Amino acid sequence: MTQAVQDKIVEIIAEQAVLDPSEVSVDMTIEELGLDSLGLVEAVFAIEENFEINVPFNANDPAASEFDITSVKSMIDAVNDLIKAQNG
Amino acid sequence: MKRVVITGQGTINALGHDVASTIAAMAAGKCAIDNMEFPNVDRLSIQIGGQVKGFEPKDHFERQQLGLYDRFTQFAVIAAREAITQSGLVFDGELSQMSGVVLGTAGGGLQTQDENYRTVYEDGKNRVHPFVVPRLMNNAAVSHVSMANNLKGPSFTVSTACASSNHAMGQAFNLVRSGVAPVMVTGGSESMLCFGGIKAWEGLRVMSADGCRPFCATRNGMVQGEGGAIFVFEEYEHARARGAEILAEVSGFAMSSDAGDIVMPSVGGARRAIAQALSDAKLNPEDVGYVNAHGTATAANDKTETAAIKDVFGDHASDLMVSSTKSMHGHLIGGTGAVEMLACIAALKDGMIAPTVGFQQADPDCDLDVVPNVARDKKIGAAISNAFAFGGLNAVIALRSV
């Protein structure tokens, strides 16, 4: 399950960053990925659609959102927590 | 005041995916109105339209662009590419800072609205794609044309229903004429051929279920089309200095408001716009050889427009060629004046007078030479293009050959 979640998130982020999933490692930051604000919002949308969760994310101040977007890993952890909390 | 000329044109519409194929189709009197294809079309009582077919957005745009471009934006960006390429202009330095984009549209990103209302209401989903707003906003096409071509000067969208493109081109004309901008990219686009778009028009009971026959005694309403056309309006000396090919001169423009009824047209408002456009262009009625009519094929428009033309042109009205190319490409609503401008340019440049196709029987209330069914080869020196919108907002552009 967790590996599947990780793979899917990497795939979503890679698509937005116009990279091959093999080029995305879990310790990469948003800056290293070159994701712009629209790309980030679209990635959050794709994550919500794929995992049927609501992601607490405000584009006005992403850093202040509960959803930690520092790195690929922080997003994977956050998504796992949200799946547990929202889908039981 | 400066002179304004057209140095580039581009289009995508039901008749063709570029200018050459569109003009060839007009010259051949081809009708591109056919059965429409989109979800739930079977629930409409009106199922025909001038739809752009054989068009694959992914052949023209990258994935990120597709995520942000509603169909009306796609049409505008494609037509702008063709027009700017033809003009030979590259927008950098001061030219980039001074030149802008003014486009017309009535519905803007209506496809995006239709799809996403379906998502939340019909499919019951509680989430929509994050780009719904930047896709649907009426100025999206202008903004993307400006970004794609580095146009940083005065840029905005004009929305006056069926006159949107003519009003837009009139603003672009005045910006160049007054010296505010050396070049303006202008025209318009529309994409209303979706379930919600046509369903709304059905309600008004002005649509024909079997064809668009402007000025014909058997006419029974309008037929919608989609697409767009874009032009490069350039200050005359600027164009001459760089040896650009000049397609035609924009010589005058006028607007009027009926201040009467929200849907019924008036002879007076149309007459004032036509007469003032001629006066602005310093044209006498007998100088004009061709009128691209608004010619929607509704009972009201065609009769009213005929009366207005006869009022302004007097005896010359019987020598005037007046056609409605909507009979071929459909009524593109906010984009229609732009596609119709192509016919005016072809008339001035090549002497190709586009016909009114589908014409079956003369109507005594529309007793003009409507160039029935077959294009004509005739040299003319000046043309006007009429647009009369719902809400009584009229905009007429005058052009002459250079």
Side-chain angles (χ1 to χ4, degrees), chain B residues 125-347:
Chain B
K125 289 190 69 175
N126 226 9
R127 183 183 296 127
V128 295
H129 191 275
F131 301 168
V132 171
V133 169
R135 280 173 70 104
L136 69 77
M137 59 195 196
N138 275 29
N139 59 313
V142 163
S143 297
H144 286 296
V145 168
S146 86
M147 286 183 254
N149 299 286
N150 201 29
L151 292 155
K152 299 181 172 176
S155 298
F156 53 95
T157 296
V158 177
S159 190
T160 49
C162 314
S164 301
S165 282
N166 270 20
H167 274 113
M169 292 188 287
Q171 304 321 301
F173 168 59
N174 282 327
L175 285 165
V176 176
R177 192 190 217 187
S178 61
V180 170
V183 177
M184 289 297 296
V185 173
T186 188
S189 68
E190 197 75 82
S191 179
M192 276 192 194
L193 306 185
C194 55
F195 181 77
I198 298 295
K199 183 53 79 180
W201 279 94
E202 263 182 23
L204 208 49
R205 309 295 172 111
V206 294
M207 305 276 283
S208 170
D210 58 19
C212 175
R213 296 181 294 280
F215 303 111
C216 173
T218 67
R219 70 184 183 276
N220 60 1
M222 53 175 274
V223 175
Q224 276 205 42
E226 67 170 355
I230 306 271
F231 303 88
V232 175
F233 282 14
E234 184 170 358
E235 193 267 313
Y236 175 66
E237 295 300 339
H238 190 275
R240 255 179 44 126
R242 63 188 191 89
E245 185 196 358
I246 292 171
L247 305 175
E249 176 169 0
V250 188
S251 51
F253 172 66
M255 307 174 263
S256 70
S257 173
D258 296 345
D261 190 276
I262 197 66
V263 290
M264 289 303 287
S266 95
V267 176
R271 177 178 57 221
R272 284 190 294 124
I274 297 170
Q276 287 166 12
L278 295 183
S279 157
D280 187 49
K282 298 192 169 52
L283 288 167
N284 296 312
E286 57 275 18
D287 298 332
V288 177
Y290 172 64
V291 176
N292 185 289
H294 191 53
T296 55
T298 59
N301 176 82
D302 295 4
K303 195 167 58 177
T304 305
E305 187 168 11
T306 301
I309 288 170
K310 289 167 81 168
D311 276 1
V312 175
F313 288 93
D315 291 343
H316 182 60
S318 52
D319 300 325
L320 204 52
M321 295 176 286
V322 180
S323 73
S324 171
T325 52
K326 288 185 179 75
S327 56
M328 297 183 274
H329 51 64
H331 189 342
L332 280 75
I333 315 296
T336 211
V339 170
E340 291 163 30
M341 179 72 92
L342 299 167
C344 293
I345 294 171

Side-chain angles (χ1 to χ4, degrees), chain A residues 15-16 18 38 41-42 45 48-49 53-54, chain B residues 63-64 67-68 125 127-131 134:
Chain A
E15 189 181 2
Q16 290 305 323
V18 201
L38 276 184
V41 171
E42 214 178 357
F45 170 72
E48 290 186 321
E49 288 284 282
I53 52 172
N54 290 314
Chain B
R63 194 190 64 84
Q64 286 97 328
L68 286 162
K125 289 190 69 175
R127 183 183 296 127
V128 295
H129 191 275
F131 301 168

